[in-house]
Amino acid sequence: MQYSILLLFLILTALSALVFTFVFISSKKVGISGQGLSNPLQKRFWFLLILFVVLGIFASVTIPRSPYFLFADEVPARVVHVAARQFAFLLSDKAIDPENPEGKDSIEFLANELVEFRVTSLDVNHGFAIYNPSNRLIAQTQAMPGYVNRLRWKFKEPGKYTILCLEFCGMAHQVMRSSFTVK
Amino acid sequence: MESIKLRKITSLWILIVLVLFIVNIVLGILMRLNQGEIIHQSPITFYANMTTHGLTQIGIWFVAGMAAVNYLLQRYVKTSYSANVVAMVLTVIGILMLWSSTYIGKFHAGWTFLYPLPLRIMWAKWATPMFFGSILVMGVGWLTWSVSMMTQLLKKYPLTRALAWQHFKKNPSTQTPPFILITMITLIGIITCLLGAVLLLAMYSAEYFSNGTFVNDALLMKNLTFFFGHTIANEMLYLGLAVIYELFPEVGGRPKWKTTWYVALAWNCTLVFILTAFFHHLYMDFVQPVGFQIVGQIASYMASLPAAGVTVFSVLVAVYRTPIKWSLTNLLFFIGVAGWVIGGLGAVIDVTITNNFVLHNTLWVPAHFHTYNALGNVLFSLAFFHWFSIQFTGGIHKEKFTKLILTLLLIGGIGFLLAFYIGGAESIPRRYSNYPAEFPMAAPLAAGAALFATIYLIAILIFFFNISKRCLNVLFSPS
Amino acid sequence: MFKRIILSFIAGSFFYGTAAFGQVNPADWKEEANIYEKVYDVSITSNKGINLTFSQLYNEKPVLLALIFTRCSGICNPFLLQLKENLQFKSDTGGFTVLVLSFDPRDTREDMILLSERLGLKNNKQWFFATTGDIEKMNQSVGFNPVWDSARSQYDHDAFLVGINKEGYITKKLLGLRDKHELGLLISSVHDIFSPSYRLPNNNQLFSCFNYNPETGKNAPGLGLLFLALPAIIALLLVLGISYNVRHKQV
Ligand code: HEM
Ligand SMILES: [Cu+2]
C-alpha cells in the first residue's frame, strides 16, 4: 500500500515538475517579441471542473473504505482491551482497571479471525499502530484518555506483529511498544 | 518619513527571520544527525530541539509573511507603524520565552502541545507556564498586528469590496486588487485561529490553576489545538501567496493581475473551508463522529484546491510563452509555486482517510509539510526579501550567485525531502529521537537527509550574506 | 486592552470551572469488563408464570437485562422508571426484550408481578419481570456485585443495565443512571451495529463536542462544539464591528 502511494506521488511530482520546466523553457525561448496574456487570472472553468471531477471520484471511492466502516457488520471472534500509558501498552482479554492496571504478557490470535481492539489511554494521548511481520504499518488508531476507540482487523499473515506508539507522548515515546503473535 | 520607518522595520524583520531560520535549520540538522546515529543526544534534548524548531519555524514564517504583506499594503492603505513594532517586540520576547522554556526548563511536549501532555510535568515546573506564556505573548502581538491591518484595510475598502463580492456580478464597477482580496481573507482566518489559541490557553489555565478540580475534555482540546495549529500553518502560506499576486507580474515586467469572479470565488471558498479542514488531524480518533471525518476530507480538498488551482494555473499561464525578466525574485516565486504544488499533492494523498490509516504520524507528514514550507512558502518569503533588498540600491546591484543559490536549494531540498518521503513509505514513525531496530533504513536515511539539509543550509547562508548587507544598509541609512 | 480581556476571560473560565466541577469521579472502567463474554444461561421464572432459560429468551430477540430488587429504597425505582420512559421514545421497540431480573433471593413471583403493575407494564409483551434461583452465577457472569448492608437491610448497588445479543454475548453495559443516548448505543450494540468508539462514563461531559444519538444516527452538538465555533463567531463579529465602526466615523 505505502509503496503504491509513493509511486503515485512520484509520478504526479514528475508530471508537475515537467510542466513547470516546460513552461519555464517556453518563456525563455519566446524572446522579447512575444505577447503573453494581459491578465492570467481569467476563466479557467474547465480546469477547475476537471480537478473537481477527479477529486469527487477519488473521494467517493475512498471514503466508504475508511477504517470506521471496517468489518462493521461482522461479529468479532476476539476482543482485546488495550490501555496505553507512559510508556507502555497493556493488552488483555479482560477489561483493564486503571487503579490497578494489568496486562497479559503474550497475546495470540488465529489468522483470519476478526479481532477487535478497544483502545484507551490512562494518561496522555498515545497512538496504537500495528506493524506486520515485515514491519509495515497496516492499521492504527489513537488512544485518547476518557474514550475508547474500537479498531477491527483480520490478520492474514502468521508471525510476530509489533505495536508502536504513533502519538508523541514524552521522552520515552520512541521506545513505547508491545507485540502479539498470529498463528 | 513614514515609509522610511516601515522600510527600516521591514529590513529588521528580514534579518531576524533569516538569523532564526539559520539557527532552526541547524536544529533540524542536529535532529536528523541524532536520528542517523551520527551524534548522540538524550531524547529530552532531541524533543526540546523538535519543540523549539517547530514553533520557531511556524513563528518566523508567519511574521515573514506578515511583514511582507504589511510592506506591500502600504501601496494601498496607510498601515500602523506602532502595531508593527508591538508585533516585533512581542515576537522577540515570545521566542526568548520559548527558548528558555525548552532549553533551560527542558519543556518538550512538541509544538502542537497536545493536551494533556503539557500538564504532565516532566520538566521544570515553571516551563509549562513559560511555554504557554510565550504563545500568549506572540499571539497577542500577532492579533494586534492583524487587527490593525484589517482596520486600515476596511477604512478604505468596505467589507464586501475587500472580499471582492462585487466581482460576482457582471461588469463590476470597481476593482478589488487580488492582493487586497487575499490579504483580507487571510487576515480574517488569522484572527479566527488566534482567537482559537486564546480559548485553548484559557482552557489550559483553567485546568492548571484549578488543582485538579477541573478537567478538560481530551477530544475538545485536540480539536481546538488543531483548529489553531493547522489553520495558522495554512494562513501563513496564504500570506506568501498574496505577495506573489502582487509582485510576480511586476517583477517580470508584465501588467498587473486583475481580480475576476473566478479568483474571488476561489478565495472566498478558502475562507470558509479552511476552518473545517483541520478535522483531518483527527482521522485516527475514531471518537470523532464519522460525519466530521468526511467533512474533514472534503473540506481539506475544498480549502486548498480552488485557490491552488487558480493560483498555479495563473502562474503557469502568466509564464507560458511570455517574455519575462527573470531574476532571483521571480525564479524563487516560480520554484516556490512548484514546491507548493508538489507538497500539496503529498498533502492530498495524506488527507484521504484510507491513506491516512497507514500514513498518519509517519515521516510522510513532515515530508509533505516540509515540501510546501522549505521549498514553497520559504521561497515566497525569500523572494520578497530579495526584491525588498534591491529596492534601495539605486539599480546598481549586480545579481551574484543566483544560479548557485537555486541549485544548492534544489539539490539540498529535494534530497532532504526525499528521505522523509521514503521514510513515510517505509512506515517509519515521525517524532522518534532514535529509530527502533525494525527500521534498518531509518538511520541511513536520516544521515543522508542531514547531509542534504546542510547543502540547503549553505544556500541559505549565501543568500543571507548577499542580502544582509543591503538590509543593514537600509536599516542604518540616515532617515 | 487585550491583556485585560484575556485575563478576565481566564479568570472567568477558571471560576466557572471550579464551580461547575467541584467533584470529578475517575472514569469508570467497570463497564468494560465482561464485554463479548457469554452470559450465564440462568433459568428464570417470569411474572407471566412461565419457566424458561435465559437462552430461550435471548435466542428469540436480543435482551436488555436490568438487575434490581423490589425492596430497594434507592436507585431501582427511578432506574426502571427512567428506562421505561426512555424506551417509549425509541422507534425500535419490538426488536428486543427487556428482562427485569431480581437479584434478591427474598423476591418472589408475586413481588415481581406487583412491580410490573406499579410500573404499568403488567401486560406489556416486551417486558419480563423475573426471579431466579441461581443469581450468584448470573451476577458473576455480568460482573455485578451488590453488597448486603445489614444495618440498613438494603443492598448497596448501582443501577445496572446489560445488553445481550441473540448469541448470548454481552455487548455493552451501563452503570448508573445514564442518558437516553447511551441507552441508544446499548440498543444498537445488541443488534450488533458497530459504533467505532464510545466515551467512558463519569468524565466531565460538559465540554464534549458531540453527543451521539444512535436513534437518528446523528450527532447532537454539545457545548464543546459551541466552543469550537466560538473563535469563528467572535472573529466574524469583530470584522463586522470594525467594518461598521470605521465606516461610521468616516461619514
Ligand atoms: C532545511 C531545513 C529544515 C530541516 C533540516 C528540518 C528538520 C526537521 C526535522 C528533523 C524535524 C523532526 C521530524 C520528525 O518528526 O522526526 C522537523 C519537524 C518540524 N519542522 Fe522542520 N526542518 C526544516 C525546515 C522547516 C521549515 C521551513 C519549517 C516551516 C514551517 C519547518 C517546520 C517544522 C515543524 C512544524 C516540525 C514539527 C515539529 C513537531 O513535530 O513538533 N521545518 N524539521
Ligand atoms: Cu505513547
Side-chain angles (χ1 to χ4, degrees):
Chain A
M1 171 101 183
Q2 280 94 336
Y3 267 88
S4 30
I5 291 175
L6 182 65
L7 189 66
L8 173 71
F9 171 74
L10 288 178
I11 292 172
L12 292 174
T13 300
L15 279 180
S16 325
L18 271 180
V19 170
F20 273 82
T21 319
F22 170 73
V23 167
F24 177 67
I25 292 172
S26 83
S27 144
K28 281 281 204 191
K29 276 220 189 105
V30 66
I32 26 168
S33 56
Q35 283 303 301
L37 288 168
S38 59
N39 182 22
L41 299 185
Q42 275 164 358
K43 290 187 193 174
R44 305 278 168 240
F45 189 67
W46 56 271
F47 175 72
L48 276 186
L49 196 69
I50 293 174
L51 256 182
F52 277 107
V53 170
V54 169
L55 276 166
I57 294 171
F58 202 48
S60 52
V61 170
T62 57
I63 285 180
R65 291 164 53 204
S66 299
Y68 327 113
F69 314 120
L70 284 176
F71 311 107
D73 44 11
E74 292 175 48
V75 179
R78 285 286 296 280
V79 172
V80 172
H81 298 265
V82 180
R85 61 170 174 179
Q86 289 170 326
F87 296 96
F89 292 100
L90 301 172
L91 276 75
S92 171
D93 297 311
K94 300 250 170 290
I96 297 169
D97 176 1
E99 302 290 308
N100 184 19
E102 266 175 80
K104 253 174 82 172
D105 286 339
S106 73
I107 296 263
E108 282 186 357
F109 305 117
L110 297 177
N112 291 315
E113 71 178 348
L114 179 58
V115 182
E116 177 175 310
F117 296 96
R118 298 193 167 216
V119 185
T120 188
S121 165
L122 304 180
D123 41 45
V124 300
N125 286 294
H126 297 276
F128 175 80
I130 303 173
Y131 284 75
N132 71 8
S134 35
N135 298 318
R136 189 77 63 235
L137 175 56
I138 50 172
Q140 66 169 314
T141 187
Q142 296 277 120
M144 186 179 262
Y147 291 88
V148 177
N149 287 333
R150 300 165 72 184
L151 172 65
R152 290 183 166 188
W153 199 256
K154 280 181 184 164
F155 300 99
K156 301 213 171 66
E157 241 180 291
K160 181 172 171 253
Y161 287 69
T162 310
I163 298 166
L164 294 178
C165 177
L166 281 200
E167 186 64 63
F168 178 60
C169 59
M171 58 188 160
H173 165 60
Q174 72 282 1
V175 294
M176 175 166 169
R177 55 165 54 232
S178 183
S179 65
F180 58 83
T181 316
V182 172
K183 289 216 284 208
Chain B
M1 176 66 207
E2 188 71 62
S3 93
I4 289 179
K5 270 170 42 191
L6 182 65
R7 207 186 277 177
K8 291 196 167 187
I9 195 162
T10 307
S11 50
L12 190 54
W13 272 122
I14 293 177
L15 292 168
I16 294 179
V17 167
L18 283 177
V19 170
L20 288 176
F21 186 39
I22 290 166
V23 175
N24 253 330
I25 297 178
V26 172
L27 290 181
I29 293 174
L30 285 179
M31 284 192 277
R32 277 323 238 163
L33 284 176
N34 195 58
Q35 291 171 329
E37 289 163 22
I38 309 279
I39 60 170
H40 300 274
Q41 294 181 316
S42 77
I44 292 184
T45 312
F46 177 91
Y47 293 125
N49 285 342
M50 185 185 86
T51 308
T52 316
H53 170 88
L55 192 54
T56 313
Q57 293 284 36
I58 297 288
I60 59 177
W61 295 109
F62 175 78
V63 293
M66 287 290 279
V69 164
N70 191 155
Y71 186 78
L72 294 172
L73 201 55
Q74 191 75 3
R75 297 172 163 189
Y76 299 91
V77 301
K78 200 173 129 355
T79 55
S80 156
Y81 175 69
S82 39
N84 202 328
V85 175
V86 167
M88 179 177 285
V89 172
L90 291 185
T91 302
V92 171
I93 297 178
I95 296 278
L96 291 177
M97 286 170 75
L98 166 69
W99 287 12
S100 71
S101 89
T102 54
Y103 287 125
I104 304 173
K106 300 284 177 207
F107 181 86
H108 57 270
W111 97 268
T112 47
F113 52 96
L114 192 56
Y115 176 87
L117 194 53
L119 301 179
R120 308 266 308 184
I121 313 285
M122 302 180 285
W123 36 74
K125 230 180 152 326
W126 54 267
T128 295
M130 181 64 97
F131 178 80
F132 284 131
S134 95
I135 294 183
L136 184 66
V137 166
M138 287 194 269
V140 169
W142 300 347
L143 205 52
T144 316
W145 201 6
S146 17
V147 170
S148 120
M149 265 197 236
M150 198 175 74
T151 311
Q152 299 305 323
L153 253 176
L154 287 173
K155 273 186 190 156
K156 173 147 173 209
Y157 301 89
L159 185 56
T160 50
R161 233 176 87 202
L163 294 175
W165 286 357
Q166 81 275 17
H167 284 279
F168 296 146
K169 283 186 291 202
K170 266 213 167 98
N171 304 325
S173 51
T174 49
Q175 272 282 329
T176 305
F179 177 73
I180 297 295
L181 165 67
I182 301 173
T183 303
M184 186 65 201
I185 300 263
T186 310
L187 286 177
I188 296 178
I190 290 170
I191 291 170
T192 310
C193 70
L194 289 177
L195 288 171
V198 171
L199 187 61
L200 183 64
L201 293 184
M203 309 277 275
Y204 262 114
S205 55
E207 179 162 342
Y208 186 80
F209 292 113
S210 78
N211 287 321
T213 49
F214 169 67
V215 180
N216 277 295
D217 179 89
L219 181 60
L220 174 61
M221 290 301 268
K222 189 165 181 183
N223 271 295
L224 270 177
T225 302
F226 285 106
F227 178 74
F228 159 64
H230 173 82
T231 313
I232 189 112
N234 258 251
E235 298 292 352
M236 172 172 122
L237 222 123
Y238 297 154
L239 290 170
L241 290 181
V243 175
I244 289 200
Y245 276 72
E246 179 73 14
L247 286 186
F248 190 73
E250 180 179 322
V251 175
R254 304 288 313 164
K256 254 191 153 69
W257 293 355
K258 291 196 201 72
T259 307
T260 56
W261 70 267
Y262 236 74
V263 179
L265 184 65
W267 281 96
N268 276 280
C269 265
T270 305
L271 177 65
V272 179
F273 288 109
I274 191 74
L275 296 180
T276 46
F278 76 91
F279 282 138
H280 62 229
H281 284 267
L282 286 96
Y283 281 160
M284 291 303 118
D285 289 277
F286 297 179
V287 295
Q288 185 93 320
V290 174
F292 282 67
Q293 310 285 24
I294 293 168
V295 167
Q297 179 166 339
I298 309 267
S300 304
Y301 290 166
M302 294 296 286
S304 49
L305 278 162
V310 167
T311 310
V312 172
F313 208 83
S314 306
V315 167
L316 287 176
V317 173
V319 171
Y320 181 63
R321 292 166 70 83
T322 305
I324 280 186
K325 283 186 277 172
W326 288 104
S327 65
L328 184 55
T329 305
N330 45 16
L331 281 171
L332 282 170
F333 277 140
F334 193 69
I335 297 172
V337 171
W340 175 46
V341 171
I342 292 166
L345 290 172
V348 167
I349 287 177
D350 190 29
V351 93
T352 305
I353 302 172
T354 40
N355 295 336
N356 194 262
F357 195 42
V358 295
L359 293 179
H360 185 76
N361 281 351
T362 65
L363 285 182
W364 191 275
V365 180
H368 84 260
F369 75 70
H370 277 96
T371 311
Y372 56 65
N373 281 310
L375 283 187
N377 189 31
V378 168
L379 304 197
F380 300 161
S381 286
L382 294 186
F384 170 80
F385 294 173
H386 178 258
W387 172 84
F388 173 86
S389 78
I390 58 177
Q391 290 305 293
F392 315 104
T393 50
I396 44 160
H397 97 283
K398 270 218 334 259
E399 295 217 10
K400 278 183 290 185
F401 305 124
T402 301
K403 277 217 178 95
L404 181 65
I405 291 177
L406 291 176
T407 315
L408 291 181
L409 270 183
L410 279 176
I411 293 178
I414 292 173
F416 162 69
L417 293 169
L418 209 54
F420 271 153
Y421 282 109
I422 297 173
E426 282 287 310
S427 306
I428 300 169
R430 76 183 279 206
R431 292 174 160 175
Y432 268 31
S433 62
N434 307 89
Y435 291 118
E438 275 88 354
F439 308 107
M441 260 172 91
L445 274 175
L451 180 72
F452 280 107
T454 312
I455 299 177
Y456 184 97
L457 176 63
I458 294 173
I460 297 294
L461 285 173
I462 300 174
F463 179 87
F464 176 67
F465 289 124
N466 254 346
I467 79 160
S468 62
K469 242 193 295 166
R470 299 197 286 263
C471 284
L472 286 171
N473 276 342
V474 175
L475 190 58
F476 294 112
S477 68
S479 32
Chain C
M1 208 335 235
F2 271 118
K3 271 239 171 78
R4 258 245 215 97
I5 296 177
I6 287 160
L7 279 180
S8 56
F9 188 67
I10 292 175
S13 47
F14 166 59
F15 287 119
Y16 179 53
T18 37
F21 309 101
Q23 69 269 38
V24 259
N25 314 320
D28 207 323
W29 64 284
K30 293 197 190 78
E31 289 186 356
E32 289 291 278
N34 311 95
I35 296 293
Y36 272 93
E37 287 172 12
K38 196 110 183 191
V39 72
Y40 176 66
D41 193 7
V42 72
S43 24
I44 55 178
T45 312
S46 87
N47 57 330
K48 290 157 190 149
I50 347 164
N51 289 326
L52 72 178
T53 62
F54 196 17
S55 56
Q56 286 172 307
L57 207 57
Y58 63 63
N59 280 340
E60 197 178 318
K61 277 177 189 176
V63 172
L64 310 194
L65 168 69
L67 287 167
I68 52 95
F69 72 114
T70 57
R71 291 170 185 77
C72 182
S73 59
I75 192 92
C76 290
N77 246 323
F79 169 49
L80 289 176
L81 280 168
Q82 191 205 33
L83 184 61
K84 177 190 163 195
E85 163 108 11
N86 284 342
L87 287 181
Q88 271 172 358
F89 296 103
K90 292 286 165 213
S91 40
D92 131 50
T93 40
F96 55 87
T97 304
V98 183
L99 173 63
V100 180
L101 183 64
S102 164
F103 59 81
D104 183 350
R106 292 173 298 172
D107 276 335
T108 61
R109 196 183 141 213
E110 282 64 45
D111 291 325
M112 299 312 279
I113 293 176
L114 267 175
L115 177 64
S116 70
E117 278 169 355
R118 243 192 306 144
L119 288 165
L121 290 167
K122 188 178 175 199
N123 298 316
N124 189 302
K125 291 219 174 60
Q126 194 186 9
W127 288 66
F128 286 73
F129 294 80
T131 56
T132 172
D134 205 1
I135 193 64
E136 280 302 315
K137 288 223 177 91
M138 187 66 193
N139 281 348
Q140 212 183 356
S141 90
V142 296
F144 183 58
N145 37 11
V147 182
W148 176 249
D149 177 353
S150 45
R152 294 191 303 128
S153 80
Q154 284 280 315
Y155 283 97
D156 246 352
H157 72 109
D158 214 340
F160 192 61
L161 190 67
V162 187
I164 290 148
N165 70 7
K166 277 179 87 168
E167 285 77 42
Y169 288 103
I170 298 168
T171 57
K172 191 170 173 61
K173 307 201 291 187
L174 293 179
L175 263 178
L177 287 179
R178 303 287 285 281
D179 63 23
K180 56 172 178 283
H181 304 304
E182 284 167 307
L183 178 63
L185 270 182
L186 187 133
I187 293 173
S188 38
S189 83
V190 299
H191 294 308
D192 292 328
I193 296 170
F194 180 64
S195 41
S197 68
Y198 51 94
R199 170 190 275 279
L200 290 171
N202 289 343
N203 258 339
N204 116 53
Q205 304 215 353
L206 186 63
F207 285 154
S208 66
C209 305
F210 335 92
N211 301 309
Y212 180 67
N213 181 349
E215 225 174 331
T216 56
K218 289 196 180 107
N219 287 283
L223 192 59
L225 199 62
L226 178 69
F227 265 62
L228 260 187
L230 203 60
I233 296 169
I234 300 178
L236 186 69
L237 291 178
L238 197 70
V239 172
L240 292 178
I242 294 178
S243 133
Y244 179 81
N245 251 321
V246 293
R247 293 277 108 195
H248 240 63
K249 275 197 195 121
Q250 272 188 355
V251 184

